[in-house]
Amino acid sequence: MSVSITVFAHASRPFVTQHVAPRQRPGHILTSRRHLAHSQQLVCNAATLQFIKGIDEPSVPDVKLTRSKDGSSGTATFVFSTPSVFESSEELGDITGLFMIDDEGEFSTVDVQAKFVNGKPDRIEAKYIMRSAFEWDRFMRYMERYAEQQGLGFQKSK
């Protein structure tokens, strides 16, 4: 039995397929759909937000996106109405930034501000600035994973 593993890096989702061909003859190339129908596909879509490294933030933010007309830069603004980090920051540590973590890696921003009303914490606002089309594409791949995981939708402004 021969096994071949192919890794695809698609712009929106990386995935791995594994093709298993029983009794392959030397020099025989598998091209039939019957063999490919038995392939397995593994897709990893984990995406989390963290204010404190290692501690996932369970509350889901409102996210507003802006992008320059030429597509060379953009801004994502996260607004967390009731973040759980307010209750646990004394035990777990200080907020050091907003960390966006998924299967491709991690990126972050330190532009994080807590807003207070009558001396009590009300919300957290974080701003992530994308300075290139590559950073925009990377952020959008992350947000697709995060939105799918959280059951969110995208609404384009008029």
Side-chain angles (χ1 to χ4, degrees):
M1 176 162 75
S2 74
V3 176
S4 67
I5 297 177
T6 309
V7 178
F8 297 94
H10 187 268
S12 64
R13 293 202 175 136
F15 59 91
V16 176
T17 60
Q18 179 180 15
H19 306 285
V20 179
R23 297 188 205 160
Q24 183 179 3
R25 295 186 307 240
H28 180 78
I29 299 173
L30 296 177
T31 57
S32 75
R33 292 192 184 270
R34 183 174 59 93
H35 288 101
L36 294 177
H38 298 290
S39 67
Q40 299 173 350
Q41 183 176 347
L42 171 65
V43 178
C44 299
N45 287 323
T48 61
L49 291 169
Q50 299 178 352
F51 289 111
I52 301 169
K53 280 250 191 190
I55 310 296
D56 292 347
E57 176 58 45
S59 66
V60 179
D62 288 329
V63 182
K64 294 180 176 80
L65 296 173
T66 60
R67 189 173 190 188
S68 65
K69 289 188 181 212
D70 65 358
S72 63
S73 63
T75 303
T77 304
F78 296 83
V79 178
F80 294 84
S81 297
T82 55
S84 66
V85 73
F86 283 144
E87 291 123 29
S88 59
S89 64
E90 289 181 14
E91 300 128 20
L92 301 173
D94 293 332
I95 296 172
T96 56
L98 178 64
F99 303 94
M100 295 162 270
I101 303 166
D102 66 0
D103 296 329
E104 290 184 50
E106 173 184 322
F107 53 103
S108 63
T109 180
V110 293
D111 188 356
V112 179
Q113 298 177 353
K115 302 292 182 175
F116 293 83
V117 175
N118 296 328
K120 295 182 181 179
D122 181 54
R123 67 185 183 277
I124 293 180
E125 295 179 5
K127 194 177 285 190
Y128 176 68
I129 298 173
M130 296 156 274
R131 292 176 174 81
S132 69
F134 174 79
E135 287 181 355
W136 175 269
D137 292 341
R138 170 68 178 100
F139 177 80
M140 291 306 290
R141 288 193 307 273
Y142 169 82
M143 282 308 294
E144 285 176 8
R145 292 181 184 112
Y146 185 77
E148 185 176 319
Q149 186 175 325
Q150 300 294 331
L152 303 175
F154 176 75
Q155 182 178 5
K156 193 172 185 176
S157 65
K158 297 175 183 174

